Amino acid sequence: MTVWTSLKPSADAFASRHIGPREAEIVAMLSALDVGSEAELLDQIVPSTIRSERPMGIGSGWSEVEVLARLRELAGRNTVMTSLIGQGYYGTVLPGVIQRNILENPAWYTAYTPYQPEISQGRLEALLNFQTLVCELTGLDIANASLLDEATAAAEAMALAKRVAKSKSDVFFVDADTHPQTLSVLKTRAEPFGFRIVVGDPATDLDPSAVFGGLFSYPGSSGAIRDPRAAIKALHAAGAIAVMAADPLALTVLAAPGDLGADIAVGSMQRFGVPMGFGGPHAAYMAVRDAYKRSMPGRLVGVSIDASGQPAYRLALQTREQHIRREKATSNICTAQVLLAVIASMYAVYHGPEGLVAIAKRVAGLTAALSAGLRSLGVHVDTECVFDTFTVRVAPEEAETIHARAVAAGMNFRRAGTGVIGLSLDETTTPEVVEAVWRCFDPECPVGALAAAANGCPELSAAVPPELRREKPFLSQEVFNTHRSETDMLRYLRQLSDKDLALDRSMIPLGSCTMKLNATVEMMPITWPGFCDLHPFAPASQTQGYAELFRDLEGWLCAISGYDAVSLQPNSGAQGEYAGLLAIRGWQRARGQTQRDVCLIPASAHGTNPASAQMAGMKVVVVRCDASGNVDMEDLKAKVAQHADTLAAIMITYPSTHGVFEENVRDICALVHEAGGQVYLDGANMNAQVGLSQPGKYGADVSHFNLHKTFCIPHGGGGPGMGPIGVRAHLSPFLPGRPEEGEALAVSAAPFGSASILPISWAYIRLMGDAGLARATTLALLNANYIATRLSGAYPILYRGVNGRVAHECIVDLRPIKETSGVTVDDIAKRLVDFGFHAPTVSFPVAGTFMIEPTESEGKRELDRFCAAMLAIREEIRQIEEGRIAVQDAPLRHAPHTARDLASEWERVYSRSEGCFPPGVDPATKYWPAVGRIDNAHGDRNLICSCPEPSFYE
Ligand SMILES: *Cc1c(COP(=O)(O)O)cnc(C)c1O
């Protein structure tokens, strides 16, 4: 007899959807590994010295229905208001065609960073459009794609200014009328570099000869528009650099920073269609003069040609980046905001220059009307020259009444100082909102009369001085003038995403990057108004749902990691590293140990580690790895002894970037602690630990968690991500605080970083529960070992643990093949495209190797398909080794093969079908790359980083 209460859906149903292999497949894989059970496998992989003894305490997994219901409840506890707060965050209308076909479309959001350009032409084109848009708006020569937020972009601009300025000063000037969160991040960033920030009025307080650069806000945070030309001229005469923080919508009607003399422009592209999201994610931009392009941080998309001479996009000037330049890199930025940059670019593609100007003029017109009406009510309006924002001054008691009326009417105004109220309008503002604002200042006001008077306001407020109006036309490129109907737009988006390979087509076996399932149910809440339409500085009483979600998530991350406190502020893994090192620095300084500035980093570390250490004011000392890929204990002891007095920290990755659980991790931590140093454990590989071991319990002091790796936030083609940090109790006073609260450490513009994507990780953890999470880790380890076992006959596996097992990823050594056949890692990476696969991580952490991480989400069928492709490629290599075909004639060297190749004159020594349809590829479902192999050197020699003239394509 069935008990009716047992007829509810099984609670662990979701875990079995998230985890790829079916039970029968698991049995088969275990037997391929010659182990009897999952438990036995774990015993072989994870050192007993670090194994957790208890469940984490998250509880059992919930069903998808339960999780959605709970998230709906939390979203309902956030109050969506009409925001007039401004301060860098504005209401905007995300066109439905972009929301559904990019933000909610796995073809876009599950893609990886476009390091393999042949399978990334769609998103690279979108990013080139973004760079073009930024260049056109700013009047500067070259723009990147993209930075994390406006405040960190300003900090990057400051660091760039120092690198290129002739001035030897270490003082940076900041316009007092700058967003407070930008100022907080600038102050945080300046301190470890030894820069001093001087804040003042550019007209009266700037001493050009005493600074290496200055930042001017345009418009200012108060909305005031000031002419920066005199100050910029003076800076240039003194050998200093001029940075402008500029609002992109204002730039459609204002003179461009480049035309005003600026060397660098930064800002947020949020209001180009990206919801405020309680602070993020959105893309920041940076544009510079041509002379500074090699010093610019962030990713840069460039145009090159492919093997058949066709134009093709790829990432340019990568030698600037941390994966190559380490602590000498232009910044530690790795994950950026690609998906949001794509959305912003498409907003401009859809609206075109006239559409953007029309939006800007409407906003400016309503702003003029609002301020004229307030003036006629006798309200003191502070700001003269304005675009969309101004401040008014009232008696302090009256201000409270006005704010209360605003809230009662469903609006938030900015508290811009005692008795100072800030009002910012945006694309969503209607005449009804303007009337409602008037009524907040005077409930009895004659709305009709004010409206009639306001009708006389010019479209573009007379308040914008003629010499600061944009004269030059912009965005004349074809792409910004073609896709006006929704049909055209829909097809353009589809055309681009069809060019790309993302998780919706095949596994992406990227070591270190954990490309696992981003479940639909996890993604659904992020576009709910209750999560995405909140301003980051909305009153706390309106954001209780978020507060609860953050409390849960912080608690769970502590439970998972064994740490005592978590900060959700860092909006990428690299930002987490930086924040964690600053916490260490703060703690040591508070104990009077200002001399501690050495950071030990194993040679195998991810490039962001040394780059972050440098930003935190530390000196990088490299520790060797031994022949089995582990930290060389003798070298570590020597380096610790040598730097004992100045040792600040060690940064280790666990399991190591070599894909192994080092047995002596506890000893490493103890050694560093004994010398007075702290242990930063890079948490990018938490996917091998969740539920099995806890960094906070076996010796580490602080870690970041890449929520876009282990915790299911999608990669978005190179961002967004989140990199919260966990710390042990002693470091918790040194975690990033809320920027509005004075001098607290701020590493991101918004208090909770990219808050609106946190529901994704919340949902994942809640759906999986203790058992589901631990099972996922176990299956990630099983899948990796299955691949290692299947491939090991054909390719050497470079590193293994003491029992011959790898962790959640493995390094396949391709260097011997290069010796015997001349086939390069690149040849194999590109040949995998012909099989319909994204290549694994290439040449990290060891040059000439692949690092493969399948994750728990791939089932045995997909793992077998991948192994079969790798083994078929090994046979092709054997043909070269045996002299049956020359490497330069082989399909491997000509890969990837395009439809154009197939239809062209065929002069290859192998057949069309051998080239285009290797074993296991079904011509009916084949993925065709849009371009053939791309010539990187050509692109770097002939650098083009915005949409080329049509003649280029001829
Ligand atoms: C991904 C990664 C990072 C950097 O994280 P981002 O989120 O890309 O900034 C750091 N360390 C390791 C080992 C990583 O794999």
Side-chain angles (χ1 to χ4, degrees), residues 299 332-336 511-513 571-575 577 605-609 653 657 682-685 704 706 708-709 715 721-723 844:
R299 298 229 165 84
N332 68 343
I333 305 271
C334 180
T335 291
S512 216
C513 287
N571 48 12
S572 75
Q575 291 294 89
E577 293 169 16
H606 194 269
T608 51
N609 290 187
T653 305
T657 50
D682 182 323
N685 290 345
H704 71 263
N706 304 67
H708 48 298
K709 296 179 180 173
H715 254 71
M722 272 293 277
F844 169 78

Side-chain angles (χ1 to χ4, degrees), residues 98 101-103 107-109 111-112 114 117 119-135 143-146 269 272 283-285 299-303 312-315 337-350 475 477 479-480 483 489 491-500 716-719 930 945-948 953:
I98 299 177
N101 296 287
I102 296 181
L103 184 54
W108 287 94
Y109 67 68
Y112 182 58
I119 51 95
S120 313
Q121 291 295 298
R123 53 196 189 269
L124 285 165
E125 177 168 329
L127 292 177
L128 194 79
N129 293 345
F130 178 83
Q131 292 175 181
T132 305
L133 168 67
V134 171
C135 288
N144 69 17
S146 51
M269 296 302 288
F272 276 42
Y285 74 80
R299 298 229 165 84
L300 190 58
V301 175
V303 184
Y313 311 112
R314 91 296 178 234
L315 295 177
Q337 303 283 21
V338 165
L339 192 69
L340 304 311
V342 168
I343 292 172
S345 78
M346 291 305 172
Y347 177 91
V349 165
Y350 200 34
L475 292 183
Q477 294 80 2
V479 69
F480 296 106
H483 309 290
M489 189 68 190
R491 290 178 187 159
Y492 179 53
L493 297 178
R494 176 64 190 255
Q495 187 204 88
L496 292 184
S497 61
D498 272 357
K499 292 181 176 176
D500 287 12
C945 296
S946 52
C947 300
Y953 295 101

